[in-house]
Amino acid sequence: MMKQIVELNGDWELKSFKPVDQINADNKEWETAENWIKTSVPAQVHEILLREGIIEDPALWGKTEACLWVAEQDWIYQCEFACGEPAVSGGKAYLHFKGLDTLADIYLNGKHLASHNDMYLPLRVDVTGRLEPNNTLMIHFHSVHEYIKHLELPEEWIGKIRPSRLLRKNEHDFTMYLGAKPYLTHVGIYDKVLLEVIDEAEIIGTDLRVRLLDGYGQGTIKVTADGWGSVGECGLKVEVRDPDRRLVAEYSGRADRNHKGRWG
């Protein structure tokens, strides 16, 4: 079993645009567009603009208002990355976005790949069979303020619920309570972007339950693992180590495979 994880953290570019519903990511004008800012990720838009000297520190008194335009624009992150043979020719492959804030459309090699609308949850997209030796990844972040502007609320909600409450986004990005004045609405990539390639099997999720016995000198540990695999047989090994990393217990066994190729 082998799982390869590649961080797509360098050689990114960033550019702002007037809010649009959808971009033509396959349009060649993107290749010659000017005013791209070279950057790395994770980094949100305000961080990048501050580093480049385009804005002043929004945390300083009176400087936040001058940055309101940032969240009123759409922003495009773009990068190119190469893939090895397993990812291109047969390995199970995913693009894993650990943190996107907030409304995002994702394009791979000019084709729409996925949409995301939750800053609190990661997004993992199956790209098996869609990767090429050289790839272009583009993330289009939509202005949440433009989205709210066109949001239609039920009549009984008007004046009672702030439209921003309908977004899976930090509410302090829209208010001055315990935050910047007037407010600071973040946007962009705030956690890692990963390419994950699995050639045989992987553990997708685990559940760990610990119970101490009477006297607290002994206990029981129950581990449940769930995964995906393309091989006929798969084994699991669990090790329990103390704070000094000394082995105190271990278990090895066979994983059962269901008809959908998942392990449990």
Side-chain angles (χ1 to χ4, degrees):
M1 184 181 94
M2 177 176 168
K3 180 176 180 179
Q4 180 185 10
I5 301 177
V6 179
E7 292 189 23
L8 305 179
N9 54 9
D11 300 324
W12 284 79
E13 294 179 307
L14 175 72
K15 186 175 176 63
S16 66
F17 292 87
K18 292 182 179 180
V20 293
D21 291 334
Q22 190 172 16
I23 62 173
N24 181 5
D26 201 29
N27 193 328
K28 295 301 181 182
E29 71 181 34
W30 293 98
E31 297 181 2
T32 58
E34 298 178 353
N35 301 323
W36 286 94
I37 302 171
K38 294 188 180 299
T39 187
S40 59
V41 300
Q44 291 192 272
V45 173
H46 287 89
E47 298 175 65
I48 298 169
L49 298 183
L50 177 60
R51 185 173 63 230
E52 294 294 319
I54 297 174
I55 63 172
E56 296 185 75
D57 190 344
L60 297 177
W61 181 262
K63 302 301 181 182
T64 307
E65 188 170 6
C67 298
L68 293 179
W69 65 272
V70 175
E72 294 170 354
Q73 294 280 304
D74 283 9
W75 292 89
I76 309 291
Y77 284 77
Q78 177 178 267
C79 81
E80 295 184 356
F81 65 94
C83 282
E85 185 63 22
V88 176
S89 62
K92 193 79 171 176
Y94 298 90
L95 282 172
H96 193 172
F97 304 89
K98 305 278 282 185
L100 302 177
D101 186 2
T102 293
L103 304 176
D105 279 303
I106 300 160
Y107 300 82
L108 178 65
N109 298 326
K111 307 299 181 183
H112 187 266
L113 182 64
S115 297
H116 194 57
N117 61 2
D118 194 326
M119 72 161 288
Y120 299 108
L121 295 179
L123 173 67
R124 193 173 191 241
V125 186
D126 190 339
V127 292
T128 305
R130 305 183 69 167
L131 294 171
E132 301 173 2
N134 294 289
N135 303 272
T136 300
L137 176 62
M138 183 179 291
I139 307 176
H140 174 198
F141 285 95
H142 298 267
S143 167
V144 291
H145 292 290
E146 187 70 15
Y147 173 83
I148 289 173
K149 189 186 304 182
H150 300 285
L151 191 61
E152 294 184 5
L153 296 178
E155 185 175 350
E156 60 270 22
W157 290 10
I158 297 176
K160 299 178 181 178
I161 298 177
R162 291 196 299 272
S164 58
R165 287 285 191 181
L166 302 184
L167 288 170
R168 288 283 295 165
K169 181 172 175 59
N170 190 342
E171 181 63 12
H172 295 318
D173 281 5
F174 302 94
T175 73
M176 295 184 291
Y177 176 70
L178 294 181
K181 299 182 184 302
Y183 57 84
L184 184 65
T185 307
H186 297 88
V187 56
I189 302 173
Y190 70 86
D191 208 336
K192 294 178 180 179
V193 178
L194 306 173
L195 172 65
E196 301 174 346
V197 182
I198 302 96
D199 61 356
E200 291 184 352
E202 71 162 334
I203 295 175
I204 297 175
T206 59
D207 180 56
L208 179 65
R209 303 190 180 189
V210 180
R211 183 169 69 90
L212 290 175
L213 302 179
D214 292 342
Y216 305 109
Q218 291 181 315
T220 61
I221 299 176
K222 181 179 179 181
V223 180
T224 304
D226 180 59
W228 173 93
S230 60
V231 292
E233 294 184 359
C234 186
L236 293 175
K237 182 177 181 179
V238 180
E239 295 183 348
V240 180
R241 296 182 179 272
D242 66 15
D244 295 322
R245 300 199 57 79
R246 291 188 297 262
L247 183 67
V248 295
E250 63 179 330
Y251 168 83
S252 296
R254 183 178 63 87
D256 296 323
R257 185 185 186 198
N258 65 24
H259 66 282
K260 295 182 180 180
R262 295 183 68 87
W263 300 97

